[in-house]
Amino acid sequence: MKKRGIWLLGALFVTVVSVLFAFMIEKITVTASEIALTKQGLYVNFSEALNVNAIQSEDLYITSSNGKKSTAELTLDKGRQIVHIQGLEPGKYTLHIKRSAFKGKPFSSLSSNEIKFTMHETLESVTSAKELTDYFKRALTMRNIQSYGVEMETREDSALSDSDSGANKSSADNHSTTNTQVEGVDEADMVKTDGEYIYATLGNGKVSITDIRNPDQLKTASEITMEEDFYPSELFLHEDMLLILGGRFESYPMTGKMDPTVDRMPGKSMTTIRLYDVSMPEKPSLIREIGAEGYLNGARKVGDILYFVTNVQPNFWMMETLDDVQLLPYISDSNEGEESQIMDYKNISILPGASEPTYSVITAIDLSSPAEGKVVTKGYLGASEQLYMSTNNLYLTATNYEQVTSGKNSNSSMMWNPGTGNSDLFKFSLNGTTVTFQSSATLKGSILNQFSMDEHDGYFRVVTTEGNMWDENNTSKNHLFILDESLKVSGSVEGLAKGERIYSARFMGDKAYMVTFRETDPLFVIDVANPTAPKVLGELKIPGFSNYLHPLDENHLIGFGYETVAEKNPQGGEPIITTKGMKISLFDVTDFANPKEKDTEIIGESQTYSPIQYDHKALFQHKKRSLFGFPVIIYKEKKVDGEFRDIEFQSMGALIYEITSEKGIVLKGNLLEEKSPGEQYGEYEKEIQRIISSKDALYTISLREIKNYSLDTFAPISGLQIQ
């Protein structure tokens, strides 16, 4: 009996030790695409740093399809978590990873000790249903990662390109245009004008066309009412054409009874472009309708060509229970019939580095002959988040998050680790309706949005934030990279503003300006004249932060953001940062080594906001008059028992400023409407969405009405209710 007790005690001890040991084991994840191009090579990401001599000691080595070792160039990045494989001929290979590559991690295991991949000379089309099915089967094994998806932080950050922006330029100089990022590249917006008519889609399922030729008597020219399943969201104007972008829900083709193997789900979401002839705005007529499955990522227009990108993820999860699941996207063209068509395999490719079960579908439309113009659509497997486009190239980005276990043991569920991702970058050349994949790269950190990128003199410049500013073990740091035409890094500035993240950036020719924030707002001035050796020239620290930067002239920037106050933390530690009113800053960067905040304007108090802080297209500019305007909703702090304890709605409308280097920031037009008695919140339908100008009149557009004012005095002229 005594021996039995000792045996049970020993067994219990072994069990406890085994369980504890299992939880002590940390899984090191290894991620890489199964397809790479010879000229770019393959990037392999590790969740932990490798040993410095991991490559020299052959802890990593490559074999070809015949099992023999292959000669290749393997290099580690500075953080030793990315291995770049180059110098391989086209063919199938395997990367072998020994446990000894991580000697500093005694209690850890590898998610995989072999990575199989194929090198191609050029990006090839998918050749068969099997190849596509195999890709999604691999994605299916990562389904737990998808189910633990991280909610991305919404970042109202921005950076303008060096092109002096396309803001409010017109050939006739008599009306404003959309504030765009790159000159010569138009962007879709909810409101457009040709100086005689205002075209607007404001969320009511209609597109209104308003005649503004007589400012004293505005009148509705016409309305385009959409059917219930079409939701117009943005517009382009092109000569005598109005392009309406929207989403619609379509049923999958039915084959008698519902067949889930063909009809993934009862319906699909399509992004649709409708082309209308508005040579007679009173009688718009539909010319053509073109669509691609998925949600709109972005749309641009260069000359006679319209480009738009959608993201679509097929219901690949149905592969667990069904043998034949439709994995190809749908496209449509009214010239080809009413029904949507499945894309051909020859128009589908897998992007190098891609592992996401999501398509980026790129469509190019020739508008020179809208009724019969060429339409080309290509689908690329690989998710896209941000989009930047110059007149010659399109860039798409995707964040590749590090995969970690939810527990220490290797059997724990997998999930994404925010703040530890890299950015995959894909470059496409543009030649009319021909969109051609050129190259790809992987960069440390995450790219905030379209304004974090810029193309200049053949080089691509980008800013990223790596890490998490609230994680002591992986504190945030910020980088600037300059890449050549092949997307190889030619120069960089790394490790800036540790513990902070980028809120805005701007590239102006040979200079880059970057704003980071945690407690104060450092504005960095970076010299990027030499692509191989960028360097920081100066830095300015001020309270608050700018989350949108706009050019005034070569030596001055306008920042739109918030004022902040640092308050003592009653529990000790870091001060508590409180966001106050909206802030406009005028930065003088004449002396690059000593940037200055020349003037400021604080609007309202806590909770005051403007769309300009997250949507650059909400900014109005009249260059000749040096006017800048934006919609705004103002809140004020209310005293309770002698202390500021409550926030109440004050007014809403628009503010127009004259901003010059000589006079600073001067309020010229106060178009605010004070709250009504008892009104606690502003009515959404009365919120101004856009501001435009035509000749000597300024127009504000809300969901409910259009109002106009004199550009000289800002006195009201007239108005028109929108039905």
Side-chain angles (χ1 to χ4, degrees), residues 500-516:
E500 302 179 1
R501 74 168 177 88
I502 296 170
Y503 269 67
S504 57
R506 173 176 174 95
F507 297 90
M508 292 175 59
D510 292 338
K511 300 296 182 294
Y513 303 93
M514 187 174 75
V515 169
T516 62

Side-chain angles (χ1 to χ4, degrees), residues 185 302 389-395 427-431 455:
V185 180
V302 178
M389 204 176 98
S390 66
T391 55
N392 298 313
N393 296 296
L394 167 68
Y395 299 84
K427 177 182 179 181
F428 303 82
S429 63
L430 307 174
N431 183 13
E455 186 183 80

Side-chain angles (χ1 to χ4, degrees), residues 523-527 535-540 591-595:
L523 171 69
F524 290 94
V525 181
I526 306 173
D527 185 352
K535 58 183 179 181
V536 175
L537 298 179
E539 180 182 350
L540 169 67
D591 182 354
F592 299 129
N594 296 289

Side-chain angles (χ1 to χ4, degrees), residues 80 174 193 213 288 296 425 442 454 517 527 533 546 565 574 631 645 657 708 713 717:
R80 306 202 312 277
N174 66 349
T193 185
R213 289 175 294 180
R288 191 176 181 183
L296 183 65
L425 175 65
T442 297
D454 174 72
F517 179 76
D527 185 352
S546 299
V565 174
E574 294 186 3
R645 293 184 180 176
Y657 289 88
N708 61 346
T713 64
I717 299 175

Side-chain angles (χ1 to χ4, degrees), residues 5-17:
I6 293 173
W7 182 87
L8 288 173
L9 185 62
L12 178 61
F13 175 77
V14 171
T15 301
V16 171
V17 170

Side-chain angles (χ1 to χ4, degrees), residues 2 443 575 672 718:
K2 185 176 181 180
L443 301 173
L672 297 174
S718 64

Side-chain angles (χ1 to χ4, degrees), residues 47 90 96 181 248 267 396 428 438 443 488 516 633-634 664 702:
S47 61
H96 300 266
Q181 182 182 10
R248 69 179 306 164
L396 297 177
F428 303 82
Q438 291 295 321
L443 301 173
K488 293 182 179 179
T516 62
I633 296 88
I634 295 178
S702 69

